[in-house]
Amino acid sequence: MKVIVGSTQEIAEKGAQQYVELLAKKPNAVLGLATGSTPEPLYAELIKLHKEGKISFADARTFNLDEYCGLQPTHPQSYRYFMQDKLFDHVDIKAENTRVPDGLHTTPENVEEYDRDIALAGGIDLQLLGIGVNGHIAFNEPGTPWGSLTQIVELTEKTREVNSRFFDSIDDVPTHAVCMGIRTIMNTKDIVLYALGENKAEAIKKTVYGKISKKCPSSILQLHPSVTVYCDEAAGSLL
Ligand code: PGA
């Protein structure tokens, strides 16, 4: 596991270079994308590089980590809406090449289809992750089995509370989400994990140095062959 600490802008620029290099080498690369406040500086940097003609997503395919159950794609807090707003609408990616889990039609077949479609696309080349204060990756909360594939998960009260900042009240935060499993994430070729802010410092310490334990889902990343952790100084302060 490689760890890079810098300012928010520095780590956004460094991470964006990984995307530039990957898409130059493999224009139809499969990108695993994430939502939340953490990836925003990276997405802003990718948009800037695209406008400068330094990166093209024309043949790229994307799979997002998760989506709330019950929110329409047009809901401002849905992850589909977020991706359109923060990245897809500003680059040359084809709409049909972007996938966000379907949080409205959550039959077992629809949910299982996600892993199958990732495999059919050739697997994820580069997976972007954020991290929760409790070490969750996507909505894989503490206790999630290591072998999990894309599934419907119940959000913990802590996660709903943390995410309530984006909603009018905690009662509006969905209770469930469709989420790539730990195994889905571990099957990706390269991973970049971003963490910003002091409230992520403990989770980052456990991710990098902690015992591998389901109590901290991100600790499993120690077993992945290619992970780069990008932290700002605050998130990296306990390393
Ligand atoms: P955040 O969320 O980027 O909004 O902090 C990350 C996460 O909970 O995985």
Side-chain angles (χ1 to χ4, degrees):
M1 191 179 276
K2 197 161 130 191
V3 182
I4 296 177
V5 181
S7 70
T8 304
Q9 184 56 25
E10 277 164 1
I11 59 174
E13 287 172 12
K14 284 200 178 128
Q17 279 314 310
Q18 274 190 252
Y19 288 81
V20 170
E21 284 160 28
L22 173 63
L23 288 170
K25 199 171 68 191
K26 185 176 180 186
N28 66 345
V30 180
L31 309 176
L33 299 177
T35 53
S37 49
T38 311
E40 288 195 37
L42 173 68
Y43 290 154
E45 187 60 24
L46 291 175
I47 292 167
K48 176 174 156 272
L49 291 171
H50 173 67
K51 293 200 187 319
E52 291 168 0
K54 294 183 179 145
I55 190 168
S56 169
F57 297 85
D59 295 317
R61 289 155 303 159
T62 67
F63 288 87
N64 263 77
L65 283 170
D66 43 20
E67 176 61 286
Y68 286 120
C69 290
L71 297 191
Q72 295 290 336
T74 49
H75 188 292
Q77 293 312 329
S78 78
Y79 289 162
R80 164 55 75 177
Y81 186 98
F82 176 101
M83 289 311 302
Q84 295 300 138
D85 187 40
K86 304 294 180 195
L87 184 66
F88 297 155
D89 288 347
H90 311 283
V91 295
D92 58 347
I93 195 150
K94 296 186 183 81
E96 65 270 25
N97 285 348
T98 68
R99 286 283 299 273
V100 177
D102 182 348
L104 293 176
H105 307 97
T106 48
T107 61
E109 297 75 39
N110 281 353
V111 173
E112 281 164 22
E113 188 176 81
Y114 207 65
D115 281 274
R116 202 190 53 218
D117 290 349
I118 291 171
L120 285 173
I124 291 174
D125 292 296
L126 182 56
Q127 177 64 55
L128 173 63
L129 296 176
I131 186 170
V133 290
N134 60 2
H136 75 203
I137 41 177
F139 281 125
N140 293 296
E141 303 283 9
T144 305
W146 295 139
S148 59
L149 294 172
T150 302
Q151 60 179 342
I152 296 169
V153 296
E154 184 168 5
L155 310 190
T156 60
E157 275 315 292
K158 180 72 193 164
T159 295
R160 292 184 68 233
E161 186 191 311
V162 170
N163 287 8
S164 66
R165 69 193 193 277
F166 300 115
F167 292 82
D168 289 339
S169 90
I170 188 161
D171 297 333
D172 295 333
V173 184
T175 54
H176 290 77
V178 186
C179 174
M180 272 190 204
I182 303 267
R183 185 153 141 214
T184 316
I185 293 169
M186 289 298 281
N187 277 343
T188 62
K189 294 181 191 114
D190 291 291
I191 293 179
V192 289
L193 183 149
Y194 271 81
L196 302 175
E198 201 190 336
N199 65 338
K200 302 289 174 70
E202 191 62 42
I204 285 297
K205 184 176 151 196
K206 287 188 181 151
T207 304
V208 179
Y209 296 125
K211 181 167 169 278
I212 298 172
S213 158
K214 286 192 208 113
K215 288 188 189 148
C216 179
S218 55
S219 62
I220 193 70
L221 297 174
Q222 291 174 27
L223 298 182
H224 189 283
S226 174
V227 179
T228 307
V229 177
Y230 289 100
C231 321
D232 68 0
E233 275 98 6
S237 61
L238 299 179
L239 296 178

